[in-house]
Amino acid sequence: MRKVWIVILMMGVFALQAQEHISVLESNPLLQTKQKQMLKMRMASAVALPFLDDFSYNSYFPDNLLWEDSAVFINRSYPINPVTIGVATFDGLDANGMAYDISASTQAQRADSLTSRAIDLSVVDSAYLLFYYQAEGLGDNPQTEDSLVLEFLTGVDTAGLPVWKHIWSIPGQTTQEFQRMEFNIVGANYLHAGFRFRFRNYATLSGNYDHWHIDYVKVDEYSSGQIPDLNDVAFVYDNPPLLKRYREMPWTHFVNYESVEMVDSIDALIRNNEAGLSVDYRYNIFENNLLIDAFPGLGWRNYNIQDYSTIGNFSHNPIVLIDDSKFISTQADTAIFKMQHIIKTTPTDNKNNDTLKHYQKFNSHFAYDDGVAEFAYGINVQGAKMAYQFHLNKADSLRIIQIYFAPMQN
């Protein structure tokens, strides 16, 4: 088998012996496209109950019909065992993905915020706020001087500036399971048509440090003397890779090597959050908007899925097979296949997190990564070299190398 080795010269500080190291990023390039990708902000009337955001949408930015300002990063790659797919991550980067202050010390300072739009609570006698949080995850763990903070808007001062009341906070910690928090909302200060709340974090401002992740934020009427269970079955992570070695590869290197390059089974994890046990599952594969394969056939596979507190995330058993012979295209040089995972649950289940979509692209390049960088890699010696290996299934020419060089301090 042919192989390509890419040797990269890594310039760094002088050292007697080369050492590899993993560093926290000082920027997030995905957020630097915010102005291009954000939908035009629409000023809306107060949000009606229930207010619910599980961050399951496929965007790096929060829903601007629910949130009025934000510097958080919506993603599926940082959390460990999220309640549902997608979280909002707080760090030391601003809304454009750059460090708030590249020269800042490690002392914790005010960083990101996530502020709700006005929520109409004038029609209820009491309400509640529910959310889940996790420190660190697969990111950087916040230190004890760092914190995650919740505040409620109580009014304005004599200068017309908003007055926020501290409701809750927690100091930095190492990662653990997502923790559920519940708060009753009562009193004339809050039960009106303009109720707002916000999350903030304190972090090191010189980079992508001190991560907190929040999930499943909900405000609703408090009735029957208790805050209800989530009653939600959801996917947990993004679509599992379809290729054994790469996230993307050239179509011309895939054709005739399908069984070598493609996985033979796939496992899209499912989590039951206090919902019914009976869950139906299927996947569809499309090419040029035409259905070319489905599992299982034209029907559904039914599962009996116990609650997360009992079994954790549910892994498909028996395994879900992938038929590599179905991945064919009339295109000579490129192909794109859309894979769609679907779960079918009770009508009252939150439907936002019941479908996964993934576009498997075969163009002219090889890529190992998923396009989301969590950390930076380096070698701390002048003149150091590293090699990247790619296996070729046929003779070819190397024309372009794309590398993201993360901004770093000396």
Side-chain angles (χ1 to χ4, degrees):
M1 180 175 291
R2 299 175 179 87
K3 300 178 181 178
V4 171
W5 289 89
I6 299 176
V7 180
I8 303 171
L9 186 66
M10 306 293 291
M11 303 304 294
V13 297
F14 177 80
L16 295 178
Q17 184 177 0
Q19 291 185 342
E20 298 177 297
H21 63 95
I22 304 296
S23 302
V24 170
L25 292 166
E26 294 180 3
S27 66
N28 184 341
L30 296 175
L31 293 181
Q32 292 167 15
T33 61
K34 182 173 184 177
Q35 298 304 319
K36 299 178 182 179
Q37 295 188 22
M38 282 286 288
L39 296 174
K40 184 178 180 181
M41 186 70 71
R42 289 193 290 165
M43 298 307 296
S45 57
V47 179
L49 294 178
F51 175 105
L52 173 61
D53 198 348
D54 66 354
F55 310 105
S56 60
Y57 35 86
N58 192 19
S59 170
Y60 301 130
F61 315 108
D63 184 348
N64 58 24
L65 295 181
L66 297 177
W67 308 100
E68 67 177 20
D69 71 338
S70 170
V72 300
F73 175 41
I74 308 302
N75 70 94
R76 301 174 174 184
S77 57
Y78 273 121
I80 298 175
N81 297 328
V83 180
T84 63
I85 185 170
V87 297
T89 294
F90 294 72
D91 50 38
L93 303 177
D94 65 18
N96 297 312
M98 302 301 293
Y100 282 100
D101 183 355
I102 196 68
S103 62
S105 67
T106 58
Q107 181 179 359
Q109 301 178 61
R110 181 173 172 174
D112 292 343
S113 65
L114 180 63
T115 307
S116 75
R117 288 196 174 277
I119 304 171
D120 186 2
L121 299 185
S122 63
V123 296
V124 298
D125 295 326
S126 63
Y128 68 86
L129 167 65
L130 162 71
F131 68 91
Y132 292 78
Y133 76 90
Q134 181 182 69
E136 185 180 5
L138 295 177
D140 182 63
N141 74 285
Q143 307 303 303
T144 54
E145 63 269 22
D146 306 312
S147 60
L148 180 66
V149 180
L150 171 67
E151 298 173 327
F152 288 176
L153 182 67
T154 60
V156 295
D157 61 17
T158 56
L161 299 175
V163 176
W164 293 92
K165 180 179 179 180
H166 179 278
I167 301 297
W168 168 88
S169 62
I170 187 169
Q173 56 189 240
T174 56
T175 192
Q176 57 182 314
E177 287 285 328
F178 272 84
Q179 302 297 305
R180 176 174 169 135
M181 299 301 302
E182 302 174 349
F183 299 90
N184 289 324
I185 305 172
V186 296
N189 281 341
Y190 306 130
L191 297 178
H192 52 75
F195 172 74
R196 285 179 169 88
F197 67 95
R198 72 179 180 185
F199 297 97
R200 294 193 292 116
N201 73 311
Y202 285 82
T204 300
L205 301 185
S206 56
N208 196 14
Y209 295 99
D210 306 325
H211 292 120
W212 296 93
H213 319 290
I214 63 170
D215 198 3
Y216 222 97
V217 181
K218 184 177 183 179
V219 178
D220 203 358
E221 181 180 8
Y222 182 76
S223 59
S224 69
Q226 63 180 2
I227 296 176
D229 294 333
L230 291 193
N231 187 32
D232 194 0
V233 179
F235 287 109
V236 180
Y237 297 115
D238 226 338
N239 191 85
L242 288 173
L243 300 177
K244 294 177 182 177
R245 293 189 290 217
Y246 308 105
R247 287 302 181 108
E248 295 184 6
M249 67 180 298
W251 179 243
T252 56
H253 287 261
F254 177 77
V255 173
N256 298 324
Y257 295 90
E258 294 88 348
S259 62
V260 175
E261 299 294 349
M262 182 159 282
V263 299
D264 55 14
S265 63
I266 199 166
D267 191 9
L269 297 179
I270 301 171
R271 173 166 168 158
N272 187 334
N273 297 293
E274 303 115 4
L277 303 183
S278 180
V279 179
D280 290 330
Y281 165 84
R282 68 177 283 112
Y283 74 64
N284 302 314
I285 300 176
F286 300 87
E287 200 263 340
N288 283 335
N289 294 319
L290 297 176
L291 181 67
I292 62 172
D293 196 19
F295 178 92
L298 298 178
W300 298 78
R301 174 185 278 185
N302 181 260
Y303 293 120
N304 186 286
I305 302 180
Q306 301 294 317
D307 187 75
Y308 179 81
S309 62
T310 301
I311 65 168
N313 294 323
F314 175 80
S315 183
H316 296 257
N317 184 21
I319 61 174
V320 175
L321 299 175
I322 295 290
D323 186 354
D324 59 70
S325 68
K326 301 294 185 179
F327 287 79
I328 57 177
S329 174
T330 59
Q331 303 297 317
D333 299 322
T334 63
I336 299 177
F337 300 91
K338 182 176 80 170
M339 187 160 195
Q340 182 184 60
H341 298 266
I342 308 170
I343 51 177
K344 185 169 62 173
T345 56
T346 61
T348 57
D349 182 278
N350 174 23
K351 301 304 177 184
N352 295 332
N353 48 46
D354 287 357
T355 302
L356 287 181
K357 293 180 182 179
H358 171 70
Y359 291 90
Q360 184 62 57
K361 299 178 181 179
F362 295 92
N363 293 314
S364 59
H365 61 267
F366 291 93
Y368 283 111
D369 64 281
D370 62 359
V372 181
E374 287 82 25
F375 290 92
Y377 170 85
I379 307 175
N380 64 345
V381 63
Q382 185 175 2
K385 298 178 181 179
M386 61 168 287
Y388 228 38
Q389 184 183 41
F390 297 88
H391 292 263
L392 306 184
N393 292 326
K394 55 178 287 187
D396 211 330
S397 300
L398 178 63
R399 300 177 184 274
I400 298 174
I401 300 174
Q402 292 181 309
I403 303 172
Y404 176 67
F405 291 97
M408 304 294 290
Q409 295 188 69
N410 292 331

